[in-house]
Every structure is written in structure tokens, then in C-alpha cells.
Amino acid sequence: LDVSETLVEKRCGLTIPEARVAAAVARGQRTEQIALDMGISSTTLAFHMRNIFRKEGVGRQQDLMALIFRSTLLVSQQDQG
């Protein structure tokens, strides 16, 4: 499955930084590694996560992963059909 930032941004209506975080979460990256890779503090990452959760109506990373998985699966199926 394609879990790119661009796809997440388009499907979920997130800002570019939020989409980067969400895509990384969906790929199973740990939050500490996401912050390090993005060059942001853990506080900034937590801010992005709160915004993502609020926008997507989820309360946990696992719920976010499931939502993104379903969204990207739908896009993949539409592209193939």
C-alpha cells in the first residue's frame, strides 16, 4: 500500500507536516523516530498528533493507522478498478 504524505494529505485533509506525521505513524514508525526524522521536538510532534486526532476524530495511534489503512486501500482499489 502507498502510505505517502501526499496521499494522506489529500484523503484526510491534513496540513503537510500533519500528513508527514500521519503517514509515518501509518507506516508503524515510533513517535521518537518521527520527531528525529522531521527535525522537530517531541512537543511539536505532540501538537501535530493532537491536531490529527481532532481532525480525523480518533483518539489513539492505532485508530489513526486503521483509518489511513482503510483510506489508502480504497484509493488503491479505485486506481486498479
Side-chain angles (χ1 to χ4, degrees), residues 21-79:
V21 170
V25 167
R27 289 190 295 265
Q29 287 184 269
R30 297 176 52 90
T31 54
E32 298 85 5
Q33 188 61 48
I34 296 169
L36 185 63
D37 290 348
M38 290 182 66
I40 60 176
S41 71
S42 59
T43 304
T44 300
L45 180 68
F47 174 78
H48 288 316
M49 292 295 291
R50 281 192 304 276
N51 286 341
I52 294 165
F53 289 171
R54 179 182 48 78
K55 288 180 179 181
E56 298 308 314
V58 298
R60 301 178 314 151
Q61 286 184 1
Q62 293 86 349
D63 297 333
L64 178 62
M65 291 172 73
L67 177 71
I68 292 171
F69 179 78
R70 285 192 305 271
S71 294
T72 55
L73 184 59
L74 287 173
V75 169
S76 296
Q77 289 174 345
Q78 289 170 353
D79 288 346

Side-chain angles (χ1 to χ4, degrees), residues 7-18:
L7 180 60
V8 172
E9 179 186 2
K10 288 179 182 176
R11 289 293 293 174
C12 299
L14 302 176
T15 66
I16 293 170
E18 291 166 353

Side-chain angles (χ1 to χ4, degrees), residues 1-9 19-20 23 27 68 72:
L1 280 182
D2 177 16
V3 186
S4 71
E5 290 89 358
T6 304
L7 180 60
V8 172
E9 179 186 2
R20 287 184 65 197
R27 289 190 295 265
I68 292 171
T72 55

